[in-house]
Amino acid sequence: MTSTAPAAEISPAEPEDAGHVDVLIVGAGVSGIGAAYHLRDQLPERTFVILDAQDNRGGTWWTHRYPGVRSDSDLFTYGYRFKPWRGPSIAAGEAILAYLDEVIDEYGLGRFIRYQHQVTAASWSAGDRRWTVEVTRGDTGQRLRFTTGFLWMCQGYYNHARPYRPRWEGMDRFGGLVVHPQRWPADLDLAGQRVVVIGSGATAATLIPAIAQKAAHVTMLQRSPTYFFAPPTTHELAVQLAPLDLPDEWMHEIMRRQYMTQYHWLARTSFEAPDELHAFLIESMRPQLPEDIDIDKHFTPRYRPWQQRIAMVPDGDLFTALREGKASIVTDTIETFTEHGIRVSSGEEIPADVVVTATGFNLSVLGDVAFAVGGEPVDFTEHVTWRGVMINGLPNMAYVFGYFRHSWTLRVDLVSDLVCRLLATMGDKGATMVVPTLRPQDADMQLRPWSDPENFNAGYVMRSQHILFKQGDREPWTHMLEHEQEREILPKADLDDGTLAYR
């Protein structure tokens, strides 16, 4: 993972003026790049700039460099609707970065991106009708001040600087190396090493097959089981269509619709018939696992399917590593690290030269930027979302948050359309300010947590509920709808229903 370069000079007391733009986009990952394309396409007269704290594009795909890193959803829906995907359904991180490079180059977005520009604060002035955005450059330490009429937060939800790192008893006396996937050493050689990977989510499912071929042995140590699904790397429909040599746009659209249909079925079934989906997932794994493995213990989760993410293992590569004996699985809790490994509650000691803590990440609330409105700091826990796109009381600010059960980028396209329509509506009204505002009938609205545990309760979400904004009990103050719903709702969302105050 790339680290920020030390400051090359002492920053001045006052930030340097960096100019004004109509729209300031924070983040040059899939969300920010997608937002920039739609802004140029739909509102080409608007000026904008993209700021990113990293030293290159891609967000997660740039910072996550552990072996085998890949998409955990198909690229026909993870790719943008306007840019055909031309590869296998599941792709490695490098291929996704190459795809983003094509988007940047083809649509001339590179000249708008400022790398190593860490946004630290954003303050709204109603008198000036603008945001003042404080930025620190990672390469020079220089402080800058941008102003903008509209702030578009596209920084994603990972805290790239501070991954989730639990502490266990005895870690200080462990004689080996402890590594977090978000901090993967470029020179780490696992050849002949005994590796324990703590965790069984998407990262572990990706990492283990990639390192099992070199390591002496890899043990997946999980506290509780995860649902896995083993789709082919290349969809069987794509294989059937390949001889027809269809135009890229046709192939992209056909496969995109196919995957949408599949994921819509999975999402619907997880609510309407969870036992049916549970049986489907378990039985699809069974023939690919070692015959003597305890499926009830190691592969039968204690939660409803899709109440947490389903880990994708293309072509069943994780199961192959288990069948070949290059990897094994232990389901137990950690009692303590020892000098030579980890002892679990059963008393078994798992030998290890390297321990990988694939324990997840921490959520970042809008990039951990310090927000203020009218000189008063914003406490997001006291605010509520508007359609999962804006936040009540925060003028001229939108954010992008994707789906948990569908490809993230499907929502990038939908949200970008809505934000561009909102900006155009402001122009039509002659308004320079728009604020999501609770109506009188919303005064007694019940506030609910950012994520309802009955809907989605992954550990990284539950750990962060106390710092996140809320949602209400009625539209448009809710979020986390499924793509099947939002592709109908968001394009038709009424921007004059009284929940948006224009001035």
Side-chain angles (χ1 to χ4, degrees), residues 288-308:
Q288 302 184 67
L289 293 168
E291 292 184 1
D292 58 347
I293 202 162
D294 188 335
I295 293 179
D296 288 341
K297 180 179 181 179
H298 299 307
F299 289 95
T300 305
R302 299 193 292 261
Y303 53 87
R304 188 185 72 244
W306 265 134
Q307 204 169 4
Q308 298 180 22

Side-chain angles (χ1 to χ4, degrees), residues 60-81:
T60 297
W61 301 111
W62 177 248
T63 62
H64 286 201
R65 303 183 184 185
Y66 55 86
V69 62
R70 65 191 176 198
S71 63
D72 63 351
S73 58
D74 74 280
L75 264 295
F76 290 99
T77 58
Y78 190 84
Y80 305 110
R81 71 170 185 239

Side-chain angles (χ1 to χ4, degrees), residues 118-123 132-135 368-372:
Q118 173 74 57
V119 176
T120 58
S123 178
T132 297
V133 178
E134 305 284 345
V135 173
D368 295 326
V369 172
F371 279 83

Side-chain angles (χ1 to χ4, degrees), residues 58-276:
T60 297
W61 301 111
W62 177 248
T63 62
H64 286 201
R65 303 183 184 185
Y66 55 86
V69 62
R70 65 191 176 198
S71 63
D72 63 351
S73 58
D74 74 280
L75 264 295
F76 290 99
T77 58
Y78 190 84
Y80 305 110
R81 71 170 185 239
F82 59 84
K83 168 67 175 175
W85 173 253
R86 299 182 179 87
S89 303
I90 305 297
E94 290 183 358
I96 297 171
L97 284 175
Y99 172 82
L100 293 176
D101 284 337
E102 290 182 10
V103 174
I104 291 171
D105 292 341
E106 289 176 17
Y107 299 104
L109 303 179
R111 63 191 176 93
F112 299 99
I113 304 176
R114 309 288 184 269
Y115 295 116
Q116 300 200 61
H117 280 57
Q118 173 74 57
V119 176
T120 58
S123 178
W124 171 262
S125 168
D128 296 330
R129 301 293 175 95
R130 63 176 52 181
W131 286 96
T132 297
V133 178
E134 305 284 345
V135 173
T136 300
R137 288 192 56 161
D139 52 350
T140 66
Q142 180 185 18
R143 293 174 62 210
L144 303 174
R145 178 187 290 122
F146 290 81
T147 59
T148 185
F150 196 93
L151 185 57
W152 200 346
M153 301 299 293
C154 299
Q155 78 297 322
Y157 67 157
Y158 281 101
N159 187 323
H160 292 283
R162 295 187 297 276
Y164 178 57
R165 284 175 161 166
R167 295 291 302 176
W168 290 279
E169 179 72 26
M171 288 184 73
D172 293 339
R173 68 171 180 263
F174 175 58
L177 180 66
V178 179
V179 177
H180 193 284
Q182 280 185 240
R183 289 284 188 271
W184 195 268
D187 59 351
L188 180 58
D189 184 4
L190 296 177
Q193 301 289 297
R194 298 167 300 177
V195 183
V196 173
V197 177
I198 302 175
S200 58
T203 301
T206 297
L207 179 66
I208 290 171
I211 65 176
Q213 301 304 316
K214 284 188 176 182
H217 188 78
V218 183
T219 303
M220 182 170 77
L221 172 56
Q222 61 176 6
R223 183 174 52 188
S224 59
T226 294
Y227 283 108
F228 294 98
F229 182 57
T233 299
T234 301
H235 196 286
E236 59 182 14
L237 178 58
V239 174
Q240 294 171 8
L241 294 175
L244 301 179
D245 197 24
L246 298 173
D248 290 336
E249 292 78 7
W250 291 19
M251 187 72 168
H252 181 75
E253 186 62 25
I254 292 170
M255 295 308 305
R256 189 175 173 86
R257 294 187 184 191
Q258 174 72 15
Y259 274 109
M260 281 184 191
T261 299
Q262 290 183 3
Y263 282 114
H264 291 164
W265 176 84
L266 282 170
R268 262 198 322 272
T269 306
S270 71
F271 288 104
E272 298 172 0
D275 292 342
E276 175 185 331

Side-chain angles (χ1 to χ4, degrees), residues 460-490:
Y460 57 90
V461 171
M462 295 298 103
R463 287 195 302 270
S464 303
Q465 293 270 57
H466 66 289
I467 62 173
L468 293 162
F469 47 87
K470 305 291 194 298
Q471 60 176 317
D473 61 4
R474 67 199 68 169
E475 293 296 324
W477 309 110
T478 62
H479 63 180
M480 291 195 183
L481 301 179
E482 302 301 332
H483 176 253
E484 191 171 25
Q485 301 167 290
E486 286 203 316
R487 67 176 179 172
E488 301 294 331
I489 293 172
L490 290 186

Side-chain angles (χ1 to χ4, degrees), residues 298-412:
H298 299 307
F299 289 95
T300 305
R302 299 193 292 261
Y303 53 87
R304 188 185 72 244
W306 265 134
Q307 204 169 4
Q308 298 180 22
R309 287 186 70 89
I310 297 173
M312 301 295 173
V313 285
D315 295 324
D317 54 6
L318 173 64
F319 305 143
T320 299
L322 292 170
R323 288 197 312 272
E324 293 175 348
K326 296 177 179 178
S328 58
I329 182 169
V330 173
T331 304
D332 208 335
T333 55
I334 296 173
E335 180 180 295
T336 184
F337 276 61
T338 68
E339 290 83 354
H340 305 292
I342 297 175
R343 186 165 65 244
V344 295
S345 298
S346 67
E348 177 187 1
E349 182 170 346
I350 309 169
D353 303 301
V354 178
V355 173
V356 180
T357 55
T359 46
F361 54 89
N362 289 313
L363 283 182
S364 173
V365 184
L366 297 177
D368 295 326
V369 172
F371 279 83
V373 173
E376 293 296 321
V378 175
D379 180 353
F380 284 103
T381 64
E382 297 179 354
H383 292 258
V384 62
T385 186
W386 180 87
R387 299 193 182 280
V389 177
M390 302 179 76
I391 297 173
N392 84 298
L394 270 72
N396 294 25
M397 194 279 282
Y399 66 94
V400 174
F401 195 95
Y403 295 114
F404 284 125
R405 298 186 179 96
H406 312 273
S407 291
W408 180 279
T409 322
L410 286 173
R411 197 162 197 272
V412 172

